[in-house]
Amino acid sequence: EPEVTQTPSHQVTQMGQEVILRCVPISNHLYFYWYRQILGQKVEFLVSFYNNEISEKSEIFDDQFSVERPDGSNFTLKIRSTKLEDSAMYFCASRGLGQSNEKLFFGSGTQLSVL
Amino acid sequence: GQQLNQSPQSMFIQEGEDVSMNCTSSSIFNTWLWYKQEPGEGPVLLIALYKAGELTSNGRLTAQFGITRKDSFLNISASIPSDVGIYFCAGQNAGGTSYGKLTFGQGTILTVHP
């Protein structure tokens, strides 16, 4: 069964450093998302991306965050200058078209630890 | 923003028991979804509900979309140890750019004792 893959599974970084989290969505999907889950809390929407541009973003997704689809397969989330409170599990998700595909497929996540 | 209240926060049950959990919202959603998350994994979709009043089953799982569109429940019958995990409800107001923007509940941690 096709799946969303995320790398790395764990990322440790120093406060103030830039990190790039990588995702390979399911190949025929057109809508891409990033969510995050702070330890012990609920999953929160960050951003949605379609047709090479951001469709919607949450308050969390400030100027320190950016997303990119650099080629036909990868979808990345960059955090320019990490803060301690950015520590969380980051999930990439993708979705296809049509009513039957109106559901998200999530990757296994990247656990980001900011020290 | 829209808030989802999910209850209970956690459940400890014996294998074979039935389980029920629910979500309520401060406002209307057009779609309700139920996800399961296992340790180290992302959420996996269990059931999607698209119409008010809809009752849908997936094996031992049954979920309903409340008539008011502000609530949903999930039932698991005859629980087994592999049902262990965190169950999340999620609401979506589909349309325009909002497809796929989900609002999640806080989750229900389910523990099943053999």
Side-chain angles (χ1 to χ4, degrees), chain B residues 3-24:
Chain B
Q3 298 289 327
L4 285 187
N5 291 312
Q6 185 172 347
S7 64
Q9 283 188 317
S10 61
M11 302 184 75
F12 297 84
I13 63 170
Q14 290 294 126
E15 183 177 1
E17 288 183 4
D18 296 343
V19 171
S20 185
M21 59 192 79
N22 69 82
C23 266
T24 58

Side-chain angles (χ1 to χ4, degrees), chain A residues 44-59:
Chain A
E44 301 174 291
F45 170 80
L46 291 179
V47 65
S48 59
F49 189 88
Y50 170 70
N51 199 26
N52 282 322
E53 60 183 26
I54 290 174
S55 305
E56 195 165 2
K57 59 185 181 180
S58 72
E59 293 174 351

Side-chain angles (χ1 to χ4, degrees), chain B residues 55-67:
Chain B
L55 183 72
T56 296
S57 293
N58 178 9
R60 293 179 295 106
L61 277 60
T62 302
Q64 184 158 32
F65 191 149
I67 291 290

Side-chain angles (χ1 to χ4, degrees), chain A:
Chain A
E1 184 174 330
E3 58 182 23
V4 176
T5 57
Q6 289 185 243
T7 55
S9 57
H10 291 87
Q11 174 89 48
V12 180
T13 189
Q14 294 289 326
M15 189 170 58
Q17 294 295 305
E18 174 183 288
V19 293
I20 297 176
L21 309 183
R22 302 181 190 280
C23 170
V24 179
I26 294 173
S27 62
N28 62 346
H29 283 186
L30 299 177
Y31 299 84
F32 313 113
Y33 307 85
W34 285 99
Y35 282 76
R36 80 170 187 190
Q37 185 179 31
I38 295 172
L39 184 64
Q41 298 186 23
K42 63 182 179 181
V43 179
E44 301 174 291
F45 170 80
L46 291 179
V47 65
S48 59
F49 189 88
Y50 170 70
N51 199 26
N52 282 322
E53 60 183 26
I54 290 174
S55 305
E56 195 165 2
K57 59 185 181 180
S58 72
E59 293 174 351
I60 303 168
F61 195 89
D62 62 21
D63 292 345
Q64 293 300 312
F65 291 86
S66 62
V67 289
E68 191 177 30
R69 187 154 165 83
D71 53 44
S73 60
N74 290 284
F75 180 52
T76 62
L77 174 70
K78 181 193 291 187
I79 308 175
R80 230 177 308 277
S81 177
T82 50
K83 303 186 287 286
L84 295 177
E85 54 265 38
D86 293 329
S87 296
M89 179 73 89
Y90 287 81
F91 292 107
C92 173
S94 69
R95 179 177 73 82
L97 279 175
Q99 180 70 9
S100 62
N101 285 324
E102 192 186 19
K103 56 188 179 182
L104 302 190
F105 291 83
F106 285 85
S108 298
T110 293
Q111 180 65 56
L112 176 65
S113 298
V114 182
L115 306 178

Side-chain angles (χ1 to χ4, degrees), chain B residues 78-97:
Chain B
S79 58
I80 58 179
S82 61
D83 290 334
V84 164
I86 305 176
Y87 291 79
F88 289 98
C89 62
Q92 177 180 245
N93 278 324
T97 60

Side-chain angles (χ1 to χ4, degrees), chain B residues 26-67:
Chain B
S26 56
S27 53
I28 289 171
F29 283 107
N30 293 331
T31 304
W32 281 91
L33 305 150
W34 285 92
Y35 285 85
K36 179 186 179 186
Q37 185 181 25
E38 298 187 14
E41 300 292 326
V44 174
L45 182 67
L46 299 174
I47 291 180
L49 301 158
Y50 299 104
K51 297 179 185 176
E54 179 181 351
L55 183 72
T56 296
S57 293
N58 178 9
R60 293 179 295 106
L61 277 60
T62 302
Q64 184 158 32
F65 191 149
I67 291 290

